[in-house]
Amino acid sequence: MEKKQFQAESKRLLEMMINSIYTQREIFLRELISNASDAIDKIYYLALTDDKLVFDKDSYYIKVTADKANRTLTIRDTGIGMTKEELETNLGVIAKSGSLAFKKENESKDGHDIIGQFGVGFYSAFMVADVVTVTSKALRGEGAFKWESTGADGYTIEPCEKDSVGTEIVLKIKPNTEEDNYDEFLEEYRLKAIIKKYSDFIRYPIKMDVKGKRPKEGSDNEFEDYEEEQRVNSMVPIWRKNKSELTTEDYENFYAEKHYGFDKPLKHIHISADGTVVYQAILYIPENIPFDYYSKEYEKGLELYANGVLIMNKCADLLPDYFSFVKGMVDSESLSLNISREMLQHDRQLKLIAKNIASKIKGQLQSMLKDEREKYEQFYKSFGRQLKFGVYSDYGMHKDVLQDLLLFYSSKEKKLVTLDEYVSRMPEDQKYIYYASGESNERIEKLPQTELVSDKGYEILYFTDDIDEFAIKMVMNYKEKEFKSVSSGDLGIEADEEKNNADAENADNKELFDYMKGLLTDKVTNVKASKRLKSHPVCLSTEGEVTIEMEKILKAMPNNPNVKADKVLEINVNHAVFQSLKDAFAQDKDKVNLYTALLYNQALLIEGLPIQDPVEFTNDICKIMV
């Protein structure tokens, strides 16, 4: 018996594959089962054109058998088998694909696709086995042959006895080491779990001899051990069933079985696409937010299958970040597999699927928003923040996709509203979409800056999320209406008379305001008469793009960029406090200093900003009380 050497390139590739290409050892079983399925598919293909060959699906299966005593794991199939030349060709040269060549020869035929690249996936067996023995008898070959190898050292091929057509692969499982437990690949429960995880939807039965206990015949108390052959895969994936056959409960059960979440999904999307790219998908919009969703530990992505075989647990490329909350799976016949089923080429088909999926998700969310508002608001409570991040990220590139899905609390409606609903209610004379920012709706309602806008009868959107203003800055305008903060310097709604009065007050009190501005150097950019205040004595407004709420958020960041808003102290000249301020300026500059400090600190407190010296502030209050 001659021992043959692998080609030098193949030898290096084998070592590289075993050590790096596959990230999890358990993948080997998926690969060997997929190859066995491919071997049965080949008979199916032949039966399509050969009248003498009858394909009786019930006669074809894959059998997995563990022998703990001898430390062997056997994978047997009733597929097409291999001749001596095919063993040499397919297993002697790594990355030579018997299945791929067969597929190319039969591309025009209708039937199952073949995803296996036998030579590559087969060698994953050496991650768990010291010796791999392949016994095969070809459908139209003469005799049977045994191929055996201990890995990179080479292999042997010799004639052997085998009664039936098909292939049997025996793995001599490695002994345990301090770091690695190979016994798990001889345990019934572990093998069943691996098959369920990766190969549950293989179209042929995967059988195992399963042990169990049952009541002894004629006895109520005694039990006996038994062993029987069972099919361990479900074979028909839910996504290949007709939608009309499936109930909401079926989809919910699949969600639970796949451990997508502990909640019940709010919505499911079942896609069967037969266009440029062929794929099926079942997607879920969860009800509850995962505990780690807004952390670095959270991994987005959909399960990716190629013809029913799990390729990736989480394919991140199938989901945009703004829809990263979506759970589910995609199965496609159109994907290109490179090196192994685990390493996917990022090709055109994948991008097309991802684009289609994003469109379907948006469509489902829009449908919920329109027809099931309560359910949508439930979703938005969990994941609305992510949609806002999507608007803000990539310099607003995705704003057109997401802006119609946003909701904000309305000062008039006292509930969440869309931007479209807001704009549809705007009076003809209203130029801007007004918003106010704060920690809560209750605090925003009390802000002095909202007075003038509210008195005009204009609706105000309340921004309570730290991302809100940043996202809206990226949107810039909606249906040709710009966004305007109620704290901005110019609200665009002051009547000419009000403007003229304010200008006159600023001119008349220029000396006082300049003096106060001097006292508040580096704290405010200006002190002026307010056009927006009605009942409150004082407030802060801003000039420029950065608002006070944005400043607070940026200040709380770990790498504080030290960006500050240009603050303006606005005084209500119609309030009794202003008269006291004027009187003090004429008679007692120390009192002006005291009043200015008090008014500025009051304005800070209204905005939820920290006072620089709380002790001094309390002492100032005491001074005016005595």
Side-chain angles (χ1 to χ4, degrees):
M1 181 174 59
E2 181 189 355
K3 185 159 191 175
K4 301 187 179 185
Q5 295 298 312
F6 294 114
Q7 292 180 358
E9 294 82 359
S10 297
K11 200 169 180 177
R12 287 195 296 272
L13 181 57
L14 171 58
E15 290 168 350
M16 182 186 76
M17 285 176 58
I18 291 172
N19 294 320
S20 63
I21 284 184
Y22 292 93
T23 54
Q24 298 179 61
R25 286 197 183 95
E26 64 187 31
I27 295 292
F28 84 92
L29 189 54
R30 177 191 75 182
E31 294 299 309
L32 297 181
I33 287 173
S34 293
N35 289 336
S37 175
D38 291 347
I40 300 172
D41 277 341
K42 288 181 180 180
I43 293 184
Y44 174 82
Y45 269 99
L46 291 176
L48 292 174
T49 54
D50 188 342
D51 294 337
K52 295 176 184 175
L53 188 60
V54 177
F55 186 83
D56 177 10
K57 197 171 180 180
D58 294 336
S59 301
Y60 296 95
Y61 62 88
I62 300 157
K63 180 77 180 277
V64 177
T65 308
D67 182 344
K68 286 186 182 180
N70 294 305
R71 292 191 70 77
T72 61
L73 180 66
T74 302
I75 295 91
R76 180 165 61 87
D77 68 65
T78 56
I80 200 165
M82 287 178 278
T83 63
K84 180 182 178 183
E85 290 73 23
E86 286 169 335
L87 283 168
E88 179 87 49
T89 304
N90 292 346
L91 305 189
V93 180
I94 297 172
K96 171 68 177 177
S97 172
S99 294
L100 188 61
F102 189 92
K103 177 184 175 183
K104 286 176 179 174
E105 290 169 14
N106 293 274
E107 272 181 342
S108 61
K109 294 177 186 174
D110 181 30
H112 301 311
D113 190 16
I114 295 177
I115 66 168
Q117 296 196 14
F118 192 93
V120 176
F122 169 78
Y123 278 88
S124 62
F126 286 99
M127 291 190 293
V128 300
D130 284 330
V131 184
V132 177
T133 305
V134 180
T135 306
S136 194
K137 184 176 182 179
L139 178 67
R140 288 172 176 167
E142 293 184 10
F145 293 88
K146 181 172 78 172
W147 180 100
E148 190 166 273
S149 175
T150 55
D153 290 339
Y155 61 92
T156 60
I157 297 180
E158 61 179 330
C160 68
E161 294 296 321
K162 189 176 189 303
D163 296 333
S164 57
V165 171
T167 300
E168 183 175 275
I169 302 172
V170 180
L171 311 184
K172 183 74 174 176
I173 300 298
K174 293 178 181 182
N176 290 341
T177 65
E178 285 185 16
E179 295 83 21
D180 301 304
N181 172 30
Y182 292 100
D183 284 354
E184 62 175 319
F185 302 118
L186 294 166
E187 293 290 348
E188 179 188 300
Y189 75 92
R190 184 74 175 102
L191 294 170
K192 284 170 71 176
I194 296 171
I195 292 168
K196 196 77 180 165
K197 180 178 180 181
Y198 295 105
S199 308
D200 196 36
F201 307 118
I202 289 288
R203 60 181 68 91
Y204 306 108
I206 303 170
K207 299 179 180 181
M208 284 182 67
D209 292 326
V210 177
K211 294 181 175 66
K213 281 185 180 293
R214 62 188 172 200
K216 216 169 187 178
E217 196 174 337
S219 171
D220 295 331
N221 305 319
E222 292 184 60
F223 292 84
E224 62 180 2
D225 295 324
Y226 74 97
E227 185 176 82
E228 68 176 12
E229 189 176 75
Q230 291 181 5
R231 190 189 81 207
V232 292
N233 63 321
S234 59
M235 291 176 58
V236 182
I238 182 176
W239 57 85
R240 286 189 181 155
K241 292 181 179 177
N242 218 311
K243 295 177 192 178
S244 59
E245 298 174 34
L246 299 167
T247 64
T248 301
E249 190 178 3
D250 291 326
Y251 289 109
E252 288 176 352
N253 288 341
F254 184 68
Y255 183 86
E257 284 169 15
K258 299 301 289 179
H259 304 294
Y260 291 144
F262 295 106
D263 56 345
K264 277 191 177 181
L266 280 176
K267 277 287 175 185
H268 67 264
I269 308 166
H270 190 159
I271 308 169
S272 295
D274 291 317
T276 313
V277 61
V278 178
Y279 74 95
Q280 292 88 33
I282 295 181
L283 311 174
Y284 293 96
I285 296 170
E287 179 180 14
N288 298 329
I289 189 167
F291 72 93
D292 61 345
Y293 185 67
Y294 289 112
S295 73
K296 289 179 181 177
E297 285 70 40
Y298 181 79
E299 282 185 85
K300 71 162 184 171
L302 302 175
E303 285 186 322
L304 182 61
Y305 292 79
N307 275 322
V309 178
L310 181 65
I311 306 304
M312 294 176 72
N313 271 318
K314 293 200 174 174
C315 183
D317 293 325
L318 285 170
L319 284 176
D321 283 344
Y322 50 82
F323 288 154
S324 59
F325 48 81
V326 173
K327 303 288 187 181
M329 53 66 56
V330 173
D331 185 13
S332 178
E333 302 172 10
S334 307
L335 297 174
S336 303
L337 302 178
N338 187 17
I339 303 294
S340 75
R341 295 179 178 85
E342 192 170 289
M343 296 184 70
L344 187 72
Q345 289 179 353
H346 295 269
D347 56 11
R348 184 169 165 269
Q349 285 94 341
L350 195 68
K351 288 175 182 173
L352 282 171
I353 293 172
K355 185 179 178 182
N356 194 294
I357 281 173
S359 175
K360 294 285 186 183
I361 294 168
K362 183 187 174 181
Q364 180 65 77
L365 291 174
Q366 284 179 312
S367 176
M368 281 173 66
L369 178 57
K370 181 184 174 186
D371 302 323
E372 300 176 276
R373 185 60 170 256
E374 191 176 326
K375 191 172 277 191
Y376 183 82
E377 289 185 15
Q378 191 178 354
F379 150 78
Y380 196 80
K381 186 178 178 184
S382 294
F383 301 108
R385 183 182 173 88
Q386 187 64 18
L387 299 183
K388 296 171 193 174
F389 272 119
V391 170
Y392 174 71
S393 64
D394 299 326
Y395 304 99
M397 188 188 299
H398 314 294
K399 66 179 182 181
D400 292 338
V401 177
L402 300 171
Q403 60 188 9
D404 286 318
L405 297 173
L406 301 180
L407 297 178
F408 299 101
Y409 185 84
S410 161
S411 62
K412 273 193 173 181
E413 299 295 309
K414 306 299 180 188
K415 63 182 182 182
L416 293 171
V417 301
T418 66
L419 295 177
D420 184 61
E421 288 164 349
Y422 179 101
V423 170
S424 69
R425 289 191 289 266
M426 285 175 63
E428 282 187 27
D429 63 337
Q430 186 178 337
K431 298 178 188 175
Y432 301 104
I433 299 172
Y434 291 101
Y435 69 86
S437 301
E439 292 174 17
S440 66
N441 294 337
E442 292 73 28
R443 287 195 70 161
I444 293 173
E445 278 188 336
K446 295 174 183 176
L447 284 177
Q449 294 92 325
T450 62
E451 283 188 311
L452 179 60
V453 179
S454 295
D455 281 359
K456 290 283 183 183
Y458 296 160
E459 190 172 357
I460 302 171
L461 298 176
Y462 290 2
F463 289 0
T464 55
D465 226 338
D466 55 10
I467 190 66
D468 286 348
E469 270 196 285
F470 294 93
I472 287 303
K473 292 287 182 187
M474 290 298 172
V475 176
M476 293 191 293
N477 62 72
Y478 182 82
K479 294 194 173 178
E480 300 180 355
K481 297 289 184 181
E482 287 183 39
F483 291 87
K484 179 78 76 173
S485 169
V486 296
S487 299
S488 64
D490 180 13
L491 290 172
I493 55 176
E494 302 88 347
D496 290 340
E497 187 180 346
E498 290 171 324
K499 287 180 183 177
N500 293 335
N501 289 341
D503 290 342
E505 289 290 352
N506 281 323
D508 292 346
N509 297 286
K510 184 177 186 307
E511 197 178 342
L512 168 61
F513 291 153
D514 284 348
Y515 181 79
M516 294 175 73
K517 180 181 173 182
L519 293 174
L520 298 171
T521 303
D522 299 331
K523 294 175 181 175
V524 299
T525 57
N526 201 7
V527 178
K528 66 179 185 180
S530 180
K531 292 176 279 186
R532 79 189 76 224
L533 292 174
K534 298 291 181 183
S535 60
H536 293 272
V538 68
C539 76
L540 286 173
S541 63
T542 56
E543 296 173 341
E545 288 298 308
V546 181
T547 65
I548 290 169
E549 204 61 30
M550 290 171 81
E551 178 190 307
K552 286 195 283 187
I553 292 158
L554 291 168
K555 199 171 185 178
M557 288 182 175
N559 302 316
N560 178 10
N562 201 31
V563 175
K564 292 188 176 180
D566 292 331
K567 302 179 190 70
V568 175
L569 186 69
E570 294 194 9
I571 308 293
N572 184 353
V573 294
N574 297 314
H575 197 282
V577 163
F578 182 64
Q579 189 58 49
S580 299
L581 196 59
K582 284 175 70 175
D583 292 344
F585 186 65
Q587 301 166 15
D588 187 349
K589 291 288 171 44
D590 286 341
K591 264 194 176 180
V592 177
N593 297 353
L594 175 64
Y595 290 168
T596 301
L598 280 168
L599 288 170
Y600 173 68
N601 283 326
Q602 272 185 298
L604 288 178
L605 285 173
I606 289 167
E607 291 295 335
L609 289 167
I611 292 172
Q612 193 171 356
D613 190 340
V615 174
E616 185 182 17
F617 176 61
T618 55
N619 288 338
D620 285 346
I621 291 174
C622 291
K623 285 176 187 175
I624 62 170
M625 295 175 68
V626 294

